Amino acid sequence: MKIIHFSQFSAPYKGAFIKSLERLEELNKQYIKFVYVFPEKTKKTFWINQFMVEHEVYFTNDNLINCEDEIQNIFNKTKPQVVHTHFDGYDMPVTWAKKMYLKRHKKDIKVIWHLHNSLSFHSNILKKIYQFFIFKYHYGYLASKVNIISVSQEMNHFVNRFKKRNQSEMLRVVLSNGVKLPEIGNNYELVIKKEFRVFGTFGGINKSKRVDLLLEAGQILEKKNLKFKILITKGVDTLEVVNQFFKGKQPDWVELMDQTDNVAEFYDKIDCFVSTSFHETFSFAILEATFYNKPVIQSDIEGTKWNAKNPSTLVFKSLNANDLSIKMDAWRLLNGHCKAHARLIVEQSMSFDIPIWKTYREKIQKVIDRRREIFAV
């Protein structure tokens, strides 16, 4: 069997996503041939050259909505049985190309969309109306002709708003992300810094990640004369957010660090991981933090509810900086026993080596076994 993974992914480092794809291939390379497709701009990343040495890789132009012909050429060269899109940029052009391939060659390709991105409507009413029609076509009309894997119930519910699904025809399933355990610190012990506590988070698009909320909570803790630091990796707009928040006068308790592909470097420096996300589908960072024996403070959003009941987790009311500061002040209540127990839960449920990979493999087989031709448009 041959599977092409079309990934709208051009981050400077592999991160957990690319490593998870590599783990999928490693665990089933005797049964499945994996091929990878990325936008042209991925060629500028640090990791892609070595990745191309180890894997079969193709590229399309960065304007994904207009790359149907390029996808057709890739289909002609590779002749896949399954194409699997990640994030949402390739969903439509891949589905269009699959339709044309079927007409030309009379051979069906099974399509799987893997929904990672958090989707929501814009607050502006005109943009919201425009979004509705785009979503209706994407997740209503086209989605009825493909198989869909969502990384969270939140995404599954959002997509299902646009059309009722017939489970007997196409696969619709929620499958949490997984990690490769050997790359996570299996022997990490909690080290509490005696001078001050260090809270850490990964910077990103602030509209979703809400780093400013963590900074506001830090100001509240500062007024209580508590000794602490906040460590933030430099995401898409992190420097701009921090500068605007403090009007160019960054306090000593805020430290920024460059992004790194070695997440251990980040977790070595913190005592507690904080997720202030307003939108999230599935957080690799929360999963990693638990493996590194770090307690987690997270917002009470739908996308991270899977971790809310872990004994090493404190949950605060989303967008409430005061509640967040209270949880940050109470984090030491999460003792080593709780962290070890939480890590065991995650190891047993979200490792590629145990259930996630087995579940994924079973879902792919179900897609292949569905012989009924339903792409009649």
Side-chain angles (χ1 to χ4, degrees):
M1 186 197 314
K2 184 174 291 184
I3 298 178
I4 305 180
H5 288 274
F6 285 83
S7 302
Q8 186 189 9
F9 185 85
S10 303
Y13 298 101
K14 284 184 178 182
F17 172 67
I18 294 298
K19 292 176 182 176
S20 69
L21 291 184
E22 290 182 310
R23 188 57 173 164
L24 288 177
E25 179 174 355
E26 179 184 349
L27 289 171
N28 211 38
K29 57 186 177 183
Q30 59 181 323
Y31 306 110
I32 301 175
K33 168 66 176 176
F34 283 75
V35 178
Y36 302 92
V37 179
F38 301 99
E40 188 76 18
K41 61 185 176 181
T42 307
K43 289 182 178 179
K44 299 178 181 179
T45 62
F46 295 110
W47 53 272
I48 192 62
N49 288 337
Q50 183 60 38
F51 189 86
M52 291 170 64
V53 171
E54 299 169 351
H55 310 278
E56 184 176 351
V57 180
Y58 297 89
F59 298 93
T60 68
N61 72 74
D62 293 332
N63 187 8
L64 303 186
I65 201 69
N66 294 321
C67 67
E68 182 183 346
D69 290 341
E70 295 170 87
I71 294 172
Q72 275 286 332
N73 291 334
I74 295 172
F75 287 172
N76 291 335
K77 291 178 182 178
T78 59
K79 296 177 174 56
Q81 284 73 51
V82 177
V83 292
H84 190 151
T85 66
H86 296 274
F87 307 101
D88 49 29
Y90 279 113
D91 291 353
M92 290 194 284
V94 162
T95 307
W96 297 331
K98 169 253 170 72
K99 172 190 173 183
M100 188 58 63
Y101 187 86
L102 175 62
K103 286 185 176 181
R104 289 177 178 174
H105 303 283
K106 308 303 180 184
K107 292 183 179 179
D108 187 32
I109 299 174
K110 305 297 183 180
V111 178
I112 300 173
W113 292 354
H114 206 135
L115 307 182
H116 301 265
N117 289 337
S118 177
L119 297 173
S120 60
F121 283 106
H122 199 281
S123 57
N124 181 284
I125 186 63
L126 294 179
K127 291 182 178 180
K128 186 175 183 178
I129 293 172
Y130 173 77
Q131 278 184 303
F132 175 80
F133 287 107
I134 296 296
F135 288 159
K136 182 68 175 177
Y137 175 74
H138 189 154
Y139 299 108
Y141 176 67
L142 281 187
S144 66
K145 308 175 187 307
V146 303
N147 304 278
I148 294 179
I149 297 176
S150 303
V151 298
S152 70
Q153 284 291 355
E154 180 184 21
M155 282 303 304
N156 192 47
H157 293 327
F158 185 88
V159 171
N160 285 341
R161 293 170 59 182
F162 299 98
K163 187 166 185 177
K164 293 182 179 180
R165 314 294 171 185
N166 186 337
Q167 290 286 345
S168 65
E169 291 183 351
M170 304 300 279
L171 180 71
R172 298 288 183 269
V173 65
V174 175
L175 181 60
S176 299
N177 289 329
V179 295
K180 180 181 177 182
L181 291 182
E183 294 190 359
I184 304 298
N186 287 321
N187 297 312
Y188 264 64
E189 298 294 336
L190 176 67
V191 178
I192 297 177
K193 297 171 176 58
K194 294 181 180 179
E195 319 87 61
F196 51 82
R197 66 199 76 177
V198 179
F199 300 98
T201 196
F202 292 106
I205 299 174
N206 197 58
K207 182 174 65 174
S208 296
K209 298 301 182 183
R210 295 307 306 266
V211 167
D212 60 307
L213 196 72
L214 181 57
L215 300 178
E216 185 179 348
Q219 288 182 324
I220 296 173
L221 294 179
E222 184 181 27
K223 292 177 182 178
K224 296 180 180 180
N225 295 319
L226 298 177
K227 294 182 179 181
F228 67 97
K229 275 197 172 184
I230 292 176
L231 179 65
I232 310 171
T233 62
K234 298 175 184 177
V236 175
D237 55 6
T238 306
L239 284 172
E240 181 182 351
V241 169
V242 172
N243 285 331
Q244 287 183 352
F245 187 88
F246 294 111
K247 297 179 172 57
K249 298 179 180 180
Q250 181 178 317
D252 293 338
W253 48 266
V254 175
E255 180 181 346
L256 303 178
M257 69 175 285
D258 292 332
Q259 290 184 324
T260 174
D261 200 31
N262 179 15
V263 294
E265 181 182 346
F266 170 76
Y267 289 111
D268 278 343
K269 296 181 178 181
I270 71 171
D271 300 310
C272 178
F273 180 77
V274 183
S275 173
T276 51
S277 293
F278 180 59
H279 291 296
E280 194 77 69
T281 51
F282 184 96
S283 174
F284 271 118
I286 286 176
L287 194 58
E288 291 171 338
T290 303
F291 278 119
Y292 278 109
N293 280 336
K294 304 299 178 181
V296 173
I297 300 174
Q298 65 182 58
S299 51
D300 62 348
I301 60 175
E302 184 71 28
T304 57
K305 277 186 177 180
W306 58 269
N307 186 63
K309 294 183 179 180
N310 269 349
S312 65
T313 298
L314 291 175
V315 179
F316 72 95
K317 187 175 181 180
S318 181
L319 303 181
N320 189 321
N322 186 62
D323 192 31
L324 172 57
S325 70
I326 292 172
K327 299 305 189 297
M328 291 169 72
D329 193 21
W331 76 279
R332 286 175 182 265
L333 297 176
L334 305 174
N335 60 38
H337 171 73
C338 283
K339 284 183 289 297
H341 180 56
R343 176 171 164 168
L344 180 62
I345 293 173
V346 176
E347 284 180 343
Q348 290 177 343
S349 61
M350 295 181 177
S351 161
F352 274 127
D353 293 340
I354 309 175
I356 292 294
W357 168 246
K358 181 180 178 183
T359 302
Y360 175 85
R361 185 170 56 199
E362 290 173 350
K363 302 308 179 188
I364 290 293
Q365 194 59 53
K366 281 187 178 182
V367 170
I368 293 295
D369 290 343
R370 290 172 189 263
R371 302 300 181 188
R372 178 180 175 187
E373 176 52 62
I374 66 162
F375 202 97
V377 293

